[in-house]
Amino acid sequence: TDERELYREFTDANRCMKLTGLYQYTFRNLVVSMGWGADGRTMEQLDQYFDQREQELALQGSNEMTGILKGKNLIMVMLESIDTWLMQPDYMPNLCGLSEEGVNFTEFYTPLFLSAGTFNTEIISQTGMIPPVSGMSSAAYSTNRFPYSLASLFAKEGYRVKSFHSANPSIYSRGSVHTNLGFEAYHSYKEMGMNDYMLDAQMLGGYELMTEGDRFYSYIITYSGHGPYTQEMDNIAGPHLKEAQAAVERSGVTGSAENMEEYTRAVAHAMETDQFIGQLVERLEAEGLLENTALVLYADHYGKYMTDKEFLAQIKGTDRSPVELYRTPCVLYGAGLKAQVMHKTGWSGDLAPTIANLYGLEGGAKYYAGEDLFNSGKGLAMFPNSGWYDGETYYSGGQEESGERTAQVKQRESASMDALRSDYFKTK
């Protein structure tokens, strides 16, 4: 059940407190924090594994994209619930335009190791590591050392590094988590001067903060794509509803009245996010920053707020393979990059090593669970329980299999989780 999974993972502090109460929460949090009942590698074994990984990566060497963005700015935007079925010119013209003019990763996946989907991808994409599904308290993200997170690496290079999300800093303890990951500050709706924290376009009130300094790395998390797609969220959908209704009518998508109402509102939510994307790019271009600033736009998870899962499968096309559910948009744009369509399989764990390679940020590659998307190797997306997908074969994990690929994924997964659980970098 959802509650059983929540209790096992114990990563969502607010929901866990409601589920267990103060006494049981305190006890369970201690158990998870200490890692009791969770087997893991020793520090010495982790050292050996990461040394081996370093040798493997050395054999791959550099590629034509290594250091191509060195010294340039980066704005990384994680898009709340923006799924592949929303990425249509009639729905999101700005995001689609960037995908055509930049690098479009068409086979990109966002697996969910944690039930808190946004926080899951947040941690993976910023640290390059896989969060343990058990045996680690959520508080560890506010206290463990993360010297190879993107924020830490950019800060080491002299960049201004800041994060932006409309939610209160207490939600998922983002205020303390982000500063612990290496960001100078976490900026919420207050600092961005937003009247309505749900409206992404209002985040442009923080533009000056986002682009402050000679060189900057700004991490932005949008909100407007969030569900439910009902009248409850009409403050998001309302301004775009007529346009969404017309666009959906042209799309040819069909379903029950309830499904189509929800679908149309989801499109309206996405239009608000797309408005933010368009205005951000316009502002960067008007101020002459776009030629020296790259944008990475990717989703936190698939459109899971659609209530009818059969209808979701229909509009997303998951009849090809169950792994298709987790395919989401990912676009790299700006900074003089040429248009390119990348069909190589990748996942959220590949973002940190790819960005590190593009910007010439050294030191973290061997600790990342994923790999640089521009290397010459065959692509691979990792999934929970040592699952994987290489563009042809999907192994869902948890089954008896002794293949070389599965063994490799198991090693990467366990090493990443054990390093986080043990605060491996505290003595490094």
Side-chain angles (χ1 to χ4, degrees), residues 86 121 134 138 140 144 155 210-211 223 244 263 281 327 345 365 402 414 419:
L86 288 166
T121 308
S134 62
S138 57
N144 283 12
M210 295 171 185
T211 57
Y223 183 91
Y263 179 86
V281 173
R327 188 166 68 88
T345 302
S402 56
S414 62

Side-chain angles (χ1 to χ4, degrees), residues 15-293:
R15 291 179 64 199
C16 288
M17 178 67 81
K18 291 179 181 179
L19 175 68
T20 62
L22 178 61
Y23 178 80
Q24 179 63 14
Y25 176 88
T26 303
F27 178 75
R28 175 61 179 165
N29 194 51
L30 175 64
V31 170
V32 172
S33 301
M34 297 301 293
W36 295 334
D39 295 328
R41 303 186 195 194
T42 65
M43 290 292 193
E44 183 179 351
Q45 289 171 326
L46 285 171
D47 286 340
Q48 292 173 354
Y49 172 76
F50 290 130
D51 286 345
Q52 175 191 331
R53 183 93 169 105
E54 187 173 34
Q55 293 172 17
E56 293 171 355
L57 292 170
L59 293 175
Q60 293 181 4
S62 59
N63 54 58
E64 70 278 4
M65 300 298 281
T66 300
I68 197 171
L69 297 180
K70 190 171 182 63
K72 297 194 175 185
N73 306 312
L74 174 64
I75 297 179
M76 196 169 182
V77 186
M78 187 166 73
L79 306 168
E80 170 67 49
S81 302
I82 299 301
D83 209 336
T84 50
W85 49 272
L86 288 166
M87 197 172 166
Q88 301 183 36
D90 254 12
Y91 299 169
M92 303 190 75
N94 293 307
L95 180 59
C96 288
L98 300 189
S99 72
E100 292 172 359
E101 298 171 18
V103 183
N104 184 15
F105 298 94
T106 62
E107 297 297 320
F108 189 84
Y109 297 82
T110 54
L112 298 178
F113 289 85
L114 302 177
S115 59
T118 301
F119 188 71
N120 167 88
T121 308
E122 201 171 329
I123 293 300
I124 292 174
S125 63
Q126 294 308 298
T127 67
M129 304 177 77
I130 303 173
V133 296
S134 62
M136 178 173 170
S137 167
S138 57
Y141 297 106
S142 299
T143 56
N144 283 12
R145 289 196 68 238
F146 293 95
Y148 300 107
S149 69
L150 289 177
S152 294
L153 291 177
F154 275 110
K156 189 177 179 182
E157 293 293 312
Y159 280 67
R160 299 299 302 271
V161 290
K162 301 177 182 180
S163 63
F164 301 83
H165 183 43
S166 59
N168 189 290
S170 64
I171 304 298
Y172 289 117
S173 301
R174 275 199 180 94
S176 59
V177 169
H178 281 208
T179 53
N180 191 55
L181 289 179
F183 291 101
E184 296 173 30
Y186 169 86
H187 300 280
S188 69
Y189 71 97
K190 291 181 180 179
E191 291 79 19
M192 290 184 280
M194 301 174 70
N195 296 321
D196 187 337
Y197 76 93
M198 295 186 182
L199 299 180
D200 286 342
Q202 291 190 11
M203 294 181 76
L204 265 296
Y207 176 82
E208 299 294 340
L209 291 169
M210 295 171 185
T211 57
E212 188 177 21
D214 295 331
R215 293 186 297 172
F216 57 83
Y217 164 47
S218 291
Y219 179 48
I220 302 170
I221 305 173
T222 68
Y223 183 91
S224 296
H226 209 291
Y229 307 126
T230 63
Q231 289 188 351
E232 178 186 339
M233 307 284 265
D234 201 49
N235 57 320
I236 302 175
H240 307 280
L241 202 52
K242 286 186 178 180
E243 183 184 358
Q245 288 167 342
V248 169
E249 190 173 339
R250 291 191 297 268
S251 73
V253 174
T254 59
S256 68
E258 293 81 5
N259 284 339
M260 293 310 296
E261 169 72 10
E262 195 174 37
Y263 179 86
T264 302
R265 286 184 171 276
V267 171
H269 283 229
M271 286 178 170
E272 174 67 24
T273 298
D274 195 63
Q275 181 179 329
F276 163 73
I277 294 170
Q279 291 176 351
L280 174 62
V281 173
E282 281 180 13
R283 187 83 179 267
L284 289 167
E285 192 166 22
E287 298 190 4
L289 285 173
L290 192 55
E291 62 185 19
N292 200 40
T293 303

Side-chain angles (χ1 to χ4, degrees), residues 411-427:
Q411 278 195 319
R412 289 194 197 178
E413 180 186 68
S414 62
S416 192
M417 290 184 177
D418 288 343
L420 279 173
R421 187 184 292 116
S422 63
D423 194 8
Y424 174 77
F425 300 107
K426 66 183 176 183
T427 58

Side-chain angles (χ1 to χ4, degrees), residues 256-401:
S256 68
E258 293 81 5
N259 284 339
M260 293 310 296
E261 169 72 10
E262 195 174 37
Y263 179 86
T264 302
R265 286 184 171 276
V267 171
H269 283 229
M271 286 178 170
E272 174 67 24
T273 298
D274 195 63
Q275 181 179 329
F276 163 73
I277 294 170
Q279 291 176 351
L280 174 62
V281 173
E282 281 180 13
R283 187 83 179 267
L284 289 167
E285 192 166 22
E287 298 190 4
L289 285 173
L290 192 55
E291 62 185 19
N292 200 40
T293 303
L295 287 88
V296 175
L297 304 103
Y298 65 105
D300 58 348
H301 50 71
Y302 68 92
K304 63 179 185 176
Y305 296 107
M306 296 295 288
T307 53
D308 187 332
K309 301 311 177 187
E310 289 186 7
F311 180 67
L312 175 61
Q314 172 192 324
I315 59 177
K316 193 162 170 65
T318 56
D319 54 335
R320 287 197 306 161
S321 166
V323 75
E324 182 68 12
L325 178 66
Y326 300 96
R327 188 166 68 88
T328 54
C330 181
V331 175
L332 171 63
Y333 173 82
L337 292 166
K338 297 179 180 179
Q340 183 181 357
V341 178
M342 291 280 290
H343 297 298
K344 181 177 180 178
T345 302
W347 66 297
S348 46
D350 292 333
L351 288 172
T354 300
I355 290 169
N357 180 62
L358 288 167
Y359 282 83
L361 306 174
E362 299 179 352
K366 66 181 179 180
Y367 301 116
Y368 300 143
E371 293 194 353
D372 171 23
L373 284 163
F374 293 104
N375 71 20
S376 58
K378 185 175 182 179
L380 176 77
M382 293 175 57
F383 287 86
N385 299 315
S386 305
W388 54 269
Y389 177 62
D390 64 0
E392 297 174 358
T393 303
Y394 173 51
Y395 169 66
S396 61
Q399 306 167 28
E400 287 295 327
E401 183 174 321

